[in-house]
Amino acid sequence: MNKDEKRELRRKRLMENKAYQTMNGLTRYMDRYYLDALIGIIPGWGDAIALLSVVPFVYFSSRVIKSIPLTLAVLNNALRDVLMGMIPFFVGDVIDFFHRANIQNMQMIRAWQSAIVLIVLLLFIALMIWALVSFGSYLYSLVTSIFR
């Protein structure tokens, strides 16, 4: 068996993997049918549910392909998608409509992001959560002061 035949056999085996099939299904529903943007309308929970769709990608890249750079790139892409989806006033939902993180993960064949970018994204997500909670409490206090 030559190199091309081995490569093709490996590719076929990877495509028959349950995680790969799950990733294809998630990509179809979340990005091609815009389910990611639709569930993003649910404040907070929509982005959390969308983040769960990255689990098969992380599993496949880390356990099946065994590539740390690819896993880091998949996580980077997912965290970036969550951060953009958290932008309030439906701006994040519009961005989710166009970003299509799952398609990008499926098409990703090489990873160039590093762990530092992931840490920065996590910090931005924490900052966004803090800002949203602060803004929410401000709005709550403003509304309660008006009706007193």
Side-chain angles (χ1 to χ4, degrees):
M1 196 181 297
N2 64 22
K3 279 186 176 182
D4 290 335
E5 290 172 344
K6 285 182 183 179
R7 186 178 305 135
E8 191 61 35
L9 182 63
R10 178 169 161 71
R11 179 177 291 152
K12 185 178 178 184
R13 227 181 281 138
L14 289 175
M15 291 175 71
E16 291 172 352
N17 186 293
K18 289 282 188 191
Y20 186 86
Q21 294 171 358
T22 302
M23 291 183 316
N24 268 334
L26 282 171
T27 300
R28 181 175 48 248
Y29 290 107
M30 295 297 281
D31 288 342
R32 291 195 176 110
Y33 297 144
Y34 304 104
L35 188 59
D36 186 17
L38 290 175
I39 64 173
I41 293 173
I42 305 168
W45 288 101
D47 294 313
I49 293 169
L51 187 59
L52 287 176
S53 72
V54 80
V55 171
F57 292 95
V58 172
Y59 171 80
F60 191 78
S61 63
S62 66
R63 300 290 183 215
V64 178
I65 296 178
K66 297 178 181 163
S67 171
I68 292 173
L70 179 60
T71 304
L72 291 174
V74 166
L75 286 171
N76 180 335
N77 197 31
L79 293 175
R80 191 176 331 128
D81 184 52
V82 168
L83 180 64
M84 288 187 290
M86 291 175 74
I87 298 173
F89 305 115
F90 299 103
V91 173
D93 300 320
V94 172
I95 292 172
D96 271 345
F97 187 79
F98 293 106
H99 186 247
R100 298 180 175 197
N102 293 315
I103 288 176
Q104 291 175 2
N105 282 340
M106 284 299 290
Q107 295 174 344
M108 204 174 310
I109 55 175
R110 63 186 154 108
W112 53 269
Q113 280 83 4
S114 68
I116 295 171
V117 175
L118 292 175
I119 292 169
V120 169
L121 285 172
L122 287 172
L123 289 173
F124 277 134
I125 288 172
L127 181 65
M128 182 65 82
I129 290 171
W130 174 81
L132 290 172
V133 167
S134 297
F135 184 68
S137 64
Y138 168 75
L139 285 178
Y140 177 76
S141 65
L142 185 66
V143 169
T144 56
S145 69
I146 290 173
F147 293 109
R148 285 187 184 183

